[in-house]
Amino acid sequence: MATGGYRNGVQKPPNLRTSSSFKSKLPPSNTRRSTPASLAADSGRVRVAVRLRPRNAEELVADADFADCVELQPELKRLKLRKNNWDSDTYEFDEVLTEFASQKRVYEVVAKPVVESVLDGYNGTVMAYGQTGTGKTYTLGRLGDEDTSARGIMVRSMEDILANISPETDSISVSYLQLYMETIQDLLNPANDNISIVEDQKTGDVSLPGATVLEIRDQQSFVELLRLGEAHRIAANTKLNTESSRSHALLMVHVKRSVSGRDDEYPLETQNRSNLVGNLRPPMLRKGKLIVVDLAGSERIHKSGSEGHMLEEAKSINLSLSALGKCINALAENSSHVPVRDSKLTRLLKDSFGGTSRTSLVVTIGPSPRHRAETASTILFGQRAMKVENMLKIKEEFDYKSLSKRLEIEIDKLIAENERQQKVYENEIERIRLEAQKRVAEAERNYVEILEEEKMKCQMDYMESIKKLEEKWTANQQKHAINGEVQRGAVNEEVAELKTMLQNETRLRKAAEEEIQNLKTQLLQFSKMELAGGSTDDLSLPEVLGEESRQKKKLEEEVKVLRSQLAQLSIEANQARSYSDSGNSGNALLGLDCFTPLNHLRPRDGSNGERASITNLHEQVGLQKILSLLESEDANVRIHAVKVVANLAAEEANQEKIVEAGGLTSLLMLLRRYEDETIRRIAAGAIANLAMNESNQELIMAQGGICLLAMTAADAEDPQTLRMVAGAIANLCGNDKLQTRLRSEGGIKALLGMVRCRHPDVLSQVARGIANFAKCESRASSQGTREGRSLLIEDGALPWIVQNANNEASLIRRHVELALCHLAQHEVNAKDMISGGALWELVRISRDCSREDIRALARRTLTSSSTFQAEMRRLRIEV
């Protein structure tokens, strides 16, 4: 088809403006405008683009002295049609394409939106209309064998469709037809030269069941198909075009795409049935149809020179185009009657104009002033087409056939597998039944024999035990009588001895007093002699007197001690008599011996050397002895013992020894058995110290420690007890392996329940535990070992985290900020965090946090999450 060349052999870069339609403000006397709404406002309107063909060789010679009859303003999307040298009419279109516009540019503005709609399940039509020889076939059907940049809309459309489908689940089928002399002929099978149109009475859809339909798998096969169709298309040589199309060509592309259906697209009953059969749902099948119409050019007989059979062809072409124009006029004027049955062309394009299809029309015009009337008619056709509104409708349905086929295969497999398993199950049941019968019979025989043996043995042991007990009772009675007499004699002897010592001390005291009196008398005499001028050798007398006075005080103190000892021995003697009289003297002594070591186990609160003392105690007494005191009946003994264990557990070197000796089990026993607040507080603190070691954490979980800590947290009211329990759980939260068990056994619930205390120390430990748990979850998600929402969010921790993200206490605030950042790193938590108000806190942290590492982590988290980014764009928040 001769379409002329580009001027100067250079192609001008295409105009890339994509703004909406511009309404001209030219004077109304010489401006004719349509009033199309923008595509964004009304996507169903027919979009019309106008394309100008460059001058061909004949026009360059014949019209050399004349200007073009049209003037394009692509930046304003306007076209001026000159009436004469001083007057012109102005028209607006959706796109204005100059003679320099590339084939790629034409495809992108005319056909690409339609192709995208077809891929989404809509019908689409791309049609070229214009005078013969203005480039319709060049625009639509050029194959681009010599120059790939010259590929037309048909080839480029198929490239886009093939690039956006999946060969495994989607399909493309093609029919290529021509409407010649009001007869529909198959270009892929020329023998099929009279195809009838079938119209559905219910839906009004038009189909061609007799047309050849071929599956397309690749671009090369499609190009070969187009080449075959072009070879069979009827063309002739006229004065206006050396290869003028004498028929309307229609390329029909059927696209079937399978898309996954959403839950909300299914009724509740269907969803329930689907869940019962393995969550199998029918895939959604979208059916789109693309029609590319290359209309034969309108022509005037005296200009084209058609005669004979070509004249009949020209009449048929003009009649079908006239019928199409009438339909478009009726649709543009909202007429109640649209004459679609006047021509087979209008019946085939019934859905394209006024139907459910997205339609793009490109009108092609030439620059020659000799054909101004044909150019004006083409422009007015496009203006009327812009007023046509289509009601777009997506065509999708459930692909029950593929689902049924898949289900049949699955059912056959399940039936075969069920039969195999049923047979294996029956054989196994029979084997187990026979084996059980055999074992039951053997066990009954063994039980009878053992029962008889045990009965005889128990009778013998019973008689022997009775005999031994009688002998022991007799011996104990004799022993108690002898011990009572001996003890009473020993006590009487000690009392008599002490009385004798006391009498001796009394005599000594009287002698000392007499001697002191003598010394005083001598002192007076010596004083008189000194006054009389006695010798200096007697100056040492005061020293002698001082020494005697000290000896006296010492003796008085010894007397006091002896008296107290005497009183104590008297009391013990009386007690011994009473015990001997009642026959329990041995037990009383035993009871005194049991409490003797307790004085060594009691720690001194507030002492700086407490740890050293406890270490010495541990070395002297032994860890096993200390742990045994945890089970003492005396509450004070238990308290002192658990304090010693807690202090030992604070040092890492002792932790392994405590666990090996059974200390962890004993501490958990204290939590389980006793309700004393002091014991529970100190025991929880010791467990918290042991929980700092990873191997101990698994032992604590294995022995039910988290359940005991949770029960303690629920019952306790003392802030210090809650702080110890929260510290223990917080240490367990830092173990990646214990996450699921920690939550299932109530650890997270217990941690969150302790916020009722509101004590800063308790809240600090709760925040630390939540931060440790969130960090482990974030690490597991990044490593791909965990999916789904955070367990913290599922247990309702998010409101408390958001509420305390800006807590006045810096330690609580830092832990909560870290927890928020770790939760936000997992994309599946983003929606919950946005709805819970956490996004605002993350933005605040990224801006105002006092620690640079936490600020950087918050910024990185916000920028890496697509959900957060979309919400911040919506709220116009910048990080």
Side-chain angles (χ1 to χ4, degrees):
M1 181 174 180
T3 58
Y6 293 99
R7 294 182 181 178
N8 302 323
V10 179
Q11 182 177 356
K12 183 178 179 181
N15 183 5
L16 299 179
R17 286 174 57 91
T18 58
S19 62
S20 60
S21 299
F22 177 84
K23 293 188 177 181
S24 149
K25 294 185 179 180
L26 296 175
S29 58
N30 61 351
T31 302
R32 300 179 184 176
R33 300 180 299 173
S34 63
T35 57
S38 66
L39 183 60
D42 188 357
S43 59
R45 180 179 60 79
V46 175
R47 290 178 56 85
V48 180
V50 60
R51 187 182 192 187
L52 177 65
R53 171 183 58 76
R55 290 192 179 192
N56 55 30
E58 178 187 355
E59 291 169 347
L60 288 173
V61 176
D63 300 332
D65 297 333
F66 299 96
D68 292 349
C69 67
V70 292
E71 177 186 352
L72 304 184
Q73 295 177 333
E75 66 280 359
L76 301 177
K77 298 184 180 181
R78 290 180 181 174
L79 176 148
K80 288 186 178 182
L81 179 63
R82 290 193 179 92
K83 294 181 179 179
N84 45 48
N85 290 336
W86 57 86
D87 194 11
S88 63
D89 291 331
T90 302
Y91 303 91
E92 293 179 0
F93 289 92
D94 291 302
E95 292 291 341
V96 174
L97 303 169
T98 68
E99 65 269 32
F100 305 110
S102 65
Q103 290 281 75
K104 181 179 179 181
R105 165 72 173 160
V106 174
Y107 170 74
E108 288 179 346
V109 300
V110 174
K112 189 168 185 176
V114 178
V115 173
E116 291 173 349
S117 296
V118 171
L119 290 170
D120 289 336
Y122 296 92
N123 289 343
T125 303
V126 179
M127 186 169 66
Y129 178 90
Q131 183 187 7
T132 183
T134 54
K136 297 183 297 300
T137 303
Y138 176 84
T139 299
L140 297 180
R142 190 65 177 264
L143 300 181
D145 293 333
E146 299 83 6
D147 183 6
T148 56
S149 65
R151 302 189 314 278
I153 287 177
M154 291 182 180
V155 177
R156 293 178 186 269
S157 299
M158 185 56 66
E159 289 176 353
D160 265 6
I161 293 173
L162 288 171
N164 287 279
I165 67 164
S166 173
E168 292 79 11
T169 59
D170 305 335
S171 65
I172 305 172
S173 57
V174 171
S175 298
Y176 200 10
L177 312 168
Q178 69 174 354
L179 180 61
Y180 175 70
M181 299 286 288
E182 285 299 304
T183 301
I184 301 175
Q185 301 177 357
D186 197 334
L187 291 177
L188 304 180
N189 183 14
N192 191 6
D193 59 358
N194 190 11
I195 301 172
S196 59
I197 300 175
V198 176
E199 186 172 347
D200 192 327
Q201 297 297 327
K202 294 182 179 179
T203 63
D205 294 340
V206 173
S207 60
L208 300 170
T212 302
V213 180
L214 297 179
E215 293 284 337
I216 299 298
R217 292 295 178 184
D218 53 52
Q219 184 69 16
Q220 185 60 36
S221 61
F222 176 70
V223 173
E224 293 299 329
L225 183 146
L226 289 182
R227 187 175 286 109
L228 175 64
E230 287 298 322
H232 294 148
R233 189 175 178 187
I234 299 174
N237 186 6
T238 67
K239 291 181 179 180
L240 297 177
N241 194 352
T242 58
E243 193 175 348
S244 176
S245 299
R246 311 308 291 169
S247 65
H248 307 299
L250 292 91
L251 175 68
M252 295 184 178
V253 181
H254 299 268
V255 181
K256 294 181 180 180
R257 297 187 68 195
S258 179
V259 295
S260 299
R262 302 183 303 272
D263 289 345
D264 54 5
E265 294 174 345
Y266 298 89
L268 182 60
E269 183 181 355
T270 303
Q271 294 184 34
N272 294 335
R273 286 200 305 268
S274 299
N275 292 331
L276 292 176
V277 296
N279 203 22
L280 292 173
R281 294 172 180 163
M284 189 71 72
L285 191 64
R286 289 182 176 173
K287 297 181 179 180
K289 179 172 69 173
L290 174 64
I291 303 178
V292 183
V293 184
D294 181 12
L295 295 174
S298 60
E299 59 183 59
R300 298 194 177 183
I301 305 303
H302 67 278
K303 289 186 178 182
S304 64
S306 299
E307 57 184 14
H309 185 67
M310 288 177 58
L311 178 61
E312 296 300 322
E313 292 174 344
K315 290 180 180 179
S316 177
I317 292 170
N318 289 338
L319 283 174
S320 61
L321 293 177
S322 176
L324 177 61
K326 290 179 181 178
C327 290
I328 290 177
N329 287 341
L331 290 169
E333 296 171 0
N334 294 323
S335 175
S336 59
H337 172 67
V338 181
V340 293
R341 295 188 174 275
D342 289 357
S343 170
K344 288 186 177 180
L345 176 64
T346 54
R347 292 184 67 190
L348 290 172
L349 299 180
K350 177 182 178 182
D351 192 50
S352 303
F353 293 96
T356 62
S357 173
R358 185 185 296 281
T359 302
S360 285
L361 172 66
V362 55
V363 293
T364 58
I365 58 175
S368 175
R370 291 180 295 156
H371 304 302
R372 183 189 178 284
E374 289 80 356
T375 299
S377 175
T378 301
I379 291 172
L380 292 176
F381 180 87
Q383 290 285 292
R384 289 191 295 271
M386 289 176 69
K387 298 179 182 179
V388 177
E389 298 283 347
N390 291 348
M391 298 298 293
L392 303 186
K393 181 180 179 182
I394 191 169
K395 295 188 177 181
E396 58 184 11
E397 60 187 25
F398 294 132
D399 191 4
Y400 288 105
K401 291 183 179 179
S402 63
L403 176 63
S404 175
K405 188 175 181 180
R406 192 163 75 240
L407 286 175
E408 287 176 358
I409 296 172
E410 188 69 21
I411 289 171
D412 291 339
K413 290 181 180 179
L414 291 174
I415 290 174
E417 181 65 23
N418 183 55
E419 290 179 352
R420 287 193 296 269
Q421 292 183 359
Q422 185 69 22
K423 184 64 176 177
V424 172
Y425 175 75
E426 291 175 355
N427 294 338
E428 185 68 15
I429 289 295
E430 183 65 21
R431 184 186 67 79
I432 293 173
R433 186 181 65 80
L434 294 175
E435 184 176 353
Q437 288 179 351
K438 182 179 178 181
R439 289 186 178 182
V440 167
E442 183 179 355
E444 288 178 349
R445 290 193 300 271
N446 294 337
Y447 175 75
V448 171
E449 295 174 358
I450 293 172
L451 188 61
E452 289 296 330
E453 293 177 358
E454 289 294 327
K455 184 177 179 181
M456 294 300 296
K457 184 178 179 181
C458 287
Q459 289 177 354
M460 296 298 293
D461 290 343
Y462 173 74
M463 297 301 295
E464 187 69 23
S465 299
I466 292 297
K467 185 177 180 180
K468 288 181 178 180
L469 288 173
E470 289 177 350
E471 293 176 355
K472 285 184 179 181
W473 182 79
T474 304
N476 286 335
Q477 288 291 333
Q478 297 173 357
K479 184 178 179 181
H480 288 162
I482 295 171
N483 287 340
E485 293 296 330
V486 171
Q487 189 171 15
R488 281 196 297 272
V491 170
N492 292 332
E493 290 176 359
E494 289 181 1
V495 170
E497 183 179 355
L498 286 173
K499 286 182 178 180
T500 304
M501 291 174 63
L502 183 59
Q503 291 172 358
N504 293 335
E505 289 293 333
T506 304
R507 288 194 297 270
L508 289 173
R509 179 182 177 186
K510 290 180 179 180
E513 289 177 350
E514 291 175 356
E515 187 176 354
I516 290 170
Q517 189 65 33
N518 293 332
L519 289 173
K520 286 182 179 180
T521 305
Q522 293 176 10
L523 178 61
L524 290 173
Q525 293 175 359
F526 280 120
S527 298
K528 292 177 182 180
M529 291 174 63
E530 185 179 357
L531 292 173
S535 117
T536 59
D537 294 333
D538 299 325
L539 293 175
S540 61
L541 182 61
E543 296 179 359
V544 175
L545 291 174
E547 181 65 26
E548 291 294 335
S549 178
R550 286 192 295 272
Q551 290 293 334
K552 178 183 177 182
K553 291 181 178 179
K554 185 176 180 181
L555 290 172
E556 290 176 350
E557 291 176 356
E558 289 179 357
V559 169
K560 290 180 180 179
V561 171
L562 289 171
R563 284 178 176 174
S564 65
Q565 290 180 355
L566 178 60
Q568 182 68 25
L569 285 172
S570 301
I571 295 171
E572 290 180 356
N574 294 330
Q575 289 179 349
R577 291 191 192 96
S578 63
Y579 286 135
S580 63
D581 294 338
S582 62
N584 295 327
S585 60
N587 293 337
L589 294 174
L590 179 63
L592 291 172
D593 292 339
C594 292
F595 290 97
T596 301
L598 293 182
N599 294 328
H600 304 286
L601 295 178
R602 293 177 184 171
R604 292 171 299 184
D605 295 337
S607 173
N608 294 330
E610 183 179 4
R611 286 237 176 117
S613 301
I614 289 173
T615 303
N616 294 333
L617 177 65
H618 166 223
E619 294 174 353
Q620 294 172 5
V621 178
L623 181 60
Q624 199 66 43
K625 179 64 174 177
I626 296 172
L627 293 178
S628 67
L629 294 174
L630 294 176
E631 301 179 4
S632 173
E633 296 297 330
D634 192 323
N636 291 327
V637 175
R638 289 197 302 272
I639 291 173
H640 289 303
V642 76
K643 283 184 179 180
V644 173
V645 175
N647 282 288
L648 289 174
E651 297 183 11
E652 187 175 355
N654 299 327
Q655 292 180 358
E656 185 176 355
K657 298 177 183 178
I658 293 173
V659 174
E660 289 178 354
L664 176 59
T665 304
S666 298
L667 291 170
L668 293 174
M669 178 270 296
L670 291 177
L671 288 183
R672 181 183 297 108
R673 187 177 297 176
Y674 298 105
E675 297 182 358
D676 184 88
E677 194 72 28
T678 304
I679 291 180
R680 294 203 296 182
R681 178 176 68 252
I682 302 172
I687 294 171
N689 289 336
L690 294 177
M692 296 172 66
N693 186 296
E694 184 175 351
S695 60
N696 294 342
Q697 293 172 357
E698 297 180 1
L699 289 174
I700 292 171
M701 295 296 293
Q703 296 184 24
I706 190 63
C707 294
L708 292 174
L709 290 171
M711 292 169 57
T712 305
D715 297 339
E717 296 296 335
D718 179 42
Q720 295 307 316
T721 303
L722 292 175
R723 179 174 71 89
M724 297 297 183
V725 175
I729 298 177
N731 289 337
L732 296 175
C733 286
N735 193 322
D736 294 328
K737 303 175 184 177
L738 307 179
Q739 296 278 294
T740 305
R741 286 189 60 190
L742 193 65
R743 187 250 183 153
S744 63
E745 295 182 15
I748 302 303
K749 291 286 188 183
L751 198 64
L752 294 175
M754 284 185 278
V755 302
R756 70 183 187 276
C757 178
R758 300 185 180 274
H759 194 281
D761 292 342
V762 179
L763 296 182
S764 175
Q765 294 299 325
V766 172
R768 182 170 71 87
I770 290 175
N772 288 344
F773 197 93
K775 183 178 181 180
C776 291
E777 280 192 329
S778 174
R779 184 161 53 237
S781 299
S782 62
Q783 293 173 356
T785 59
R786 189 185 182 284
E787 296 180 354
R789 295 169 61 207
S790 167
L791 299 179
L792 290 172
I793 294 178
E794 291 185 357
D795 279 355
L798 186 60
W800 185 85
I801 294 174
V802 174
Q803 182 182 357
N804 288 271
N806 199 17
N807 195 289
E808 294 179 356
S810 60
L811 192 58
I812 299 174
R813 184 172 64 252
R814 178 168 64 84
H815 287 314
V816 172
E817 288 173 346
L818 282 172
L820 271 176
C821 293
H822 289 311
L823 286 175
Q825 287 181 335
H826 196 23
E827 186 70 19
V828 75
N829 298 330
K831 290 185 179 179
D832 291 310
M833 297 186 71
I834 291 172
S835 62
L839 176 60
W840 295 102
E841 293 300 332
L842 284 170
V843 172
R844 180 192 61 75
I845 293 169
S846 68
R847 295 174 178 173
D848 303 333
C849 183
S850 58
R851 287 185 48 171
E852 175 60 30
D853 56 340
I854 300 179
R855 280 204 311 273
L857 179 60
R859 285 195 296 270
R860 186 166 63 252
T861 301
L862 288 173
T863 55
S864 62
S865 171
S866 58
T867 306
F868 284 143
Q869 285 289 306
E871 183 67 11
M872 287 191 294
R873 283 196 298 270
R874 187 182 72 82
L875 298 174
R876 299 181 180 178
I877 300 174
E878 294 183 0
V879 178

